[in-house]
Amino acid sequence: MKRQVPLGVLISGGGTNLQSIIDAIEAKRLDAVVRVVISNKESAYGLVRAKNHGIPTEVLDHKQFSSREAYDEAIVKLLHARGVELVILAGFMRLLSPVLVKAYSNRIMNIHPALLPAFPGLHGQKQAVEYGVRFAGCTVHFVNEECDQGPIIIQAIVPAYPDDTEETLAARILKQEHRIYPRAIQLYSEGRLRVEGRKVLVHGVEKDDAAALMNPPEGKR
Ligand code: GRF
């Protein structure tokens, strides 16, 4: 049997990315096992999703801790106790301190709803709509100590249109998030990712020089 990478998923909200990971595991597209889902919010619907699939959950309210470091220490303890190897941030609305980043160096992934390094921080989709870009998308990256600046593993792009609202663009991007996050984790699981400085080398992928997109597309009215 293939190795199943033990995951710890950190959430704060709805958890549709968590769901896409659970679904990929159940469909045997992803060789991983979710050992624990941790939320900083008791009301996060992602906790219900986890329970529906028999996955252990923990709520760790950041307001009960005196510092970011103390909070992250508690998280690391929970992750170690569950034997977690790879940490997945899936809509976890907290900045990480070096305590957590160092404990899981190059073993924390995040998904961001923009084509980094464009539009980091909050409301990436809104920033893209307001800027008037023709393409938007999402990024899975390893987490380092700088917010949204870690080495990029995989990106997906979607067209953006002048009449997009934050909501229409976010929905288009979210569909791609659900494709690329399980894929990034599977690449890790297969041992195909190597971090070299700012770059992530992905073993065994073919290059396609013609894979270019244009928006508006050529020759269409
Ligand atoms: C996603 O848009 C993700 O890119 C961002 O937070 C949102 C989480 O959504 N980091 P969900 O909780 O996975 O539905």
Side-chain angles (χ1 to χ4, degrees):
M1 203 174 121
K2 283 194 190 140
R3 185 176 89 97
Q4 310 289 309
V5 178
L7 308 177
V9 184
L10 273 49
I11 61 165
S12 299
T16 65
N17 278 288
L18 165 66
Q19 188 70 55
S20 76
I21 291 163
I22 295 170
D23 292 347
I25 292 172
E26 292 185 352
K28 305 219 180 306
R29 279 182 284 119
L30 176 53
D31 301 316
V33 52
V34 183
R35 285 276 173 82
V36 63
V37 171
I38 305 174
S39 173
N40 64 322
K41 293 206 172 125
E42 202 169 355
S43 59
Y45 184 69
L47 292 168
V48 177
R49 295 180 190 273
K51 285 181 190 142
N52 286 343
H53 293 264
I55 296 167
T57 60
E58 303 274 0
V59 176
L60 219 51
D61 180 356
H62 55 276
K63 294 194 284 303
Q64 308 292 322
F65 290 80
S66 57
S67 67
R68 204 175 280 286
E69 288 72 19
Y71 183 74
D72 284 1
E73 262 166 35
I75 298 245
V76 170
K77 240 186 182 170
L78 283 180
L79 295 170
H80 283 163
R82 300 277 182 180
V84 167
E85 174 181 330
L86 181 67
V87 181
I88 302 299
L89 307 183
F92 184 59
M93 303 305 283
R94 304 259 319 148
L95 291 175
L96 305 192
S97 76
V99 169
L100 181 45
V101 177
K102 287 206 175 95
Y104 279 90
S105 171
N106 285 339
R107 289 187 296 130
I108 306 175
M109 288 185 187
N110 181 43
I111 189 152
H112 183 75
L115 293 172
L116 291 172
F119 313 133
L122 291 176
H123 311 298
Q125 307 96 326
K126 183 163 181 267
Q127 294 183 58
V129 165
E130 284 170 0
Y131 199 93
V133 291
R134 294 285 173 183
F135 285 108
C138 45
T139 304
V140 178
H141 62 92
F142 283 117
V143 172
N144 62 15
E145 283 169 31
E146 257 57 65
C147 179
D148 294 333
Q149 289 181 41
I152 292 173
I153 301 164
I154 183 167
Q155 294 184 304
I157 69 173
V158 299
Y161 302 110
D163 63 352
D164 265 324
T165 61
E166 181 182 355
E167 290 71 28
T168 58
L169 183 62
R172 202 174 303 129
I173 293 171
L174 193 61
K175 277 193 192 155
Q176 301 306 316
E177 294 186 31
H178 298 161
R179 289 178 64 205
I180 67 172
Y181 218 172
R183 172 92 183 118
I185 300 166
Q186 179 61 15
L187 289 170
Y188 175 96
S189 175
E190 291 171 7
R192 291 168 61 187
L193 302 180
R194 201 172 83 229
V195 180
E196 273 191 15
R198 270 221 52 79
K199 295 192 182 172
V200 179
L201 308 186
V202 185
H203 185 73
V205 279
E206 282 179 21
K207 291 181 186 165
D208 182 357
D209 286 336
L213 294 172
M214 225 187 261
N215 182 31
E218 210 170 17
K220 283 195 190 158
R221 303 172 53 97

